[in-house]
Amino acid sequence: MRWENLGEQSAALFGTDVVSRTVDTPEFRGITFHEVRARSIINQVPGASRMPFERTVNPYRGCSHACVYCFARKTHGYLDLDTGLGFDSQIVVKVNAPELLRRELAAPRRRGEHIAMGTNVDCYQRAEGRYRLMPGIIAALRDHANPFSILTKGTLILRDLDLLRQAAAVTDVGVSVSVGFVDRELWRTVEPGTPAPERRLDVVRTLARHGIPAGVLMAPVIPFLGDSPEQLRATVRAVAAAGATAVTPLVLHLRPGAREWFMAWLARHHPHLVRRYERMYADSAYAPKWYQRRITRQVHELAAEYGIGPTHPAEHRRITRPTPPAPSRKPADPPPAHDPAPGHTQLALL
């Protein structure tokens, strides 16, 4: 494994004081944790990215959710770690993430840019139960009134309800839960390390009950395995019943790293679909536009039928605090030191 000379913006990410641990308990059996001290924690999203945000925080690398389609698998290769089973079981933990974030948020160059979390690997995967990095991260964002959003498949986010509510009182907070399907057989094979879909929808219910509305990112919709009209209807119906603010579909995409691992899984479990996938993804990591448009139309129609549509791209991932009216001043009052920009801040999370 190489921890040095892994550059982001020409700076090494980690120091050399790496501690690797294995924990012999049932929930962590077979998993190795590599504890590192990161040198930076707020990441700049490349300008060419399709992501609707510019800053991210990722306290972990690798993910025990073991989703066979995870696009982040390639990032393990940068550390000379295996992008298949190694991605699922060799988890890099940035143990100094909360303190480092607090320091970076205080830097004069920071302007309170929205920070997205859970966009690479899940910040509420099982490792979070052991390392408890997210409470310190949310507290730092709260104390700096810095807007943020979280995307997760994990139920552990409910542990931090109080912190989320405190943060939402001072800044814009967005939460999305990822539920691509409610088919339990499909879930067990493609997302073996995640909580069941119905448990994730329970998270949506609980968040709403505590005043934190959550949308559902219906991702991924898996061609030929999770895209039948009956499956789409069942998923949207369950999302609506959970009280989600909106549902946005995202069709499976297969980037390098994820593509090889997914196709190997497909050949073992559904060999009759291999040629169909090779044709569908022959020219791109993304499904053809016509297919994406068809799925989007079907889901939006179902969302409207069940009372949670229509939506626009990324709309359900924005939680906006309206700008309060300026207090009236007498003519003799001195002008304020500065006037905030009019309008409001929109947050987006993919």
Side-chain angles (χ1 to χ4, degrees):
M1 293 174 291
R2 56 188 175 97
W3 305 104
E4 293 185 285
N5 303 320
L6 172 58
E8 268 188 11
Q9 301 175 346
S10 302
L13 289 180
F14 309 129
T16 57
D17 53 339
V18 180
V19 177
S20 298
R21 304 182 190 275
T22 56
V23 183
D24 190 22
T25 57
E27 67 270 28
F28 297 125
R29 188 160 294 141
I31 296 177
T32 299
F33 297 108
H34 304 288
E35 300 173 357
V36 304
R37 295 191 65 81
R39 293 176 176 171
S40 65
I41 197 67
I42 299 178
N43 308 308
Q44 172 74 48
V45 177
S49 172
R50 296 187 179 198
M51 301 300 182
F53 43 78
E54 297 180 354
R55 303 287 189 278
T56 64
V57 165
N58 300 303
Y60 301 99
R61 281 190 174 219
C63 186
S64 58
H65 284 345
C67 301
V68 298
Y69 52 76
C70 183
F71 71 87
R73 289 183 176 277
K74 186 177 181 180
T75 62
H76 246 39
Y78 303 152
L79 296 174
D80 286 345
L81 290 169
D82 177 61
T83 59
L85 289 175
F87 180 85
D88 303 338
S89 60
Q90 304 282 325
I91 310 300
V92 178
V93 184
K94 302 174 188 177
V95 293
N96 62 332
E99 63 194 73
L100 186 56
L101 177 61
R102 191 173 288 275
R103 184 163 74 243
E104 291 186 8
L105 288 173
R109 69 180 181 278
R110 294 296 169 194
R111 294 292 183 268
E113 304 97 336
H114 166 64
I115 289 176
M117 293 176 284
T119 60
N120 190 41
V121 301
D122 203 320
C123 51
Y124 282 106
Q125 60 176 287
R126 274 181 283 165
E128 174 60 16
R130 172 179 172 84
Y131 288 96
R132 298 183 61 87
L133 300 180
M134 287 301 292
I137 288 171
I138 295 173
L141 292 163
R142 174 202 64 194
D143 293 347
H144 286 272
N146 199 103
F148 66 92
S149 51
I150 297 172
L151 171 65
T152 185
K153 288 186 176 82
T155 56
L156 194 56
I157 189 174
L158 296 180
R159 178 200 63 194
D160 297 337
L161 266 174
D162 287 344
L163 279 169
L164 290 169
R165 294 179 69 183
Q166 292 168 22
V170 297
T171 190
D172 297 332
V173 176
V175 178
S176 284
V177 177
S178 177
V179 183
F181 42 82
V182 292
D183 184 319
R184 288 185 64 87
E185 183 177 351
L186 183 59
W187 158 65
R188 289 181 188 278
T189 57
V190 301
E191 300 172 345
T194 65
E198 59 266 27
R199 290 187 60 204
R200 287 178 247 164
L201 292 174
D202 284 340
V203 168
V204 175
R205 279 190 196 87
T206 303
L207 289 170
R209 197 162 58 241
H210 287 81
I212 303 173
V216 166
L217 186 63
M218 192 170 158
V221 176
I222 304 179
F224 317 126
L225 292 173
D227 64 348
S228 72
E230 296 77 17
Q231 288 171 310
L232 296 179
R233 176 174 290 277
T235 302
V236 175
R237 182 170 58 237
V239 168
T245 56
V247 57
T248 295
L250 185 66
V251 173
L252 175 73
H253 56 277
L254 296 173
R255 299 181 190 175
R259 184 188 188 104
E260 295 81 2
W261 188 248
F262 179 85
M263 292 301 290
W265 171 86
L266 193 70
R268 291 193 305 272
H269 292 269
H270 304 280
H272 63 288
L273 292 178
V274 170
R275 285 294 300 140
R276 298 182 74 179
Y277 267 83
E278 288 174 344
R279 289 192 296 269
M280 175 169 272
Y281 292 91
D283 301 319
S284 173
Y286 296 87
K289 291 290 186 183
W290 65 263
Y291 179 84
Q292 295 185 53
R293 286 193 292 266
R294 191 187 82 190
I295 294 298
T296 298
R297 183 181 68 253
Q298 288 178 289
V299 171
H300 283 182
E301 288 173 354
L302 289 165
E305 179 180 340
Y306 288 106
I308 54 171
T311 65
H312 302 287
E315 184 176 78
H316 79 284
R317 301 185 294 275
R318 299 170 181 157
I319 296 179
T320 303
R321 292 184 306 125
T323 302
S328 59
R329 298 193 307 269
K330 297 178 182 179
D333 287 346
H338 67 278
D339 289 323
H344 55 262
T345 301
Q346 289 184 325
L347 306 187
L349 172 65
L350 180 62

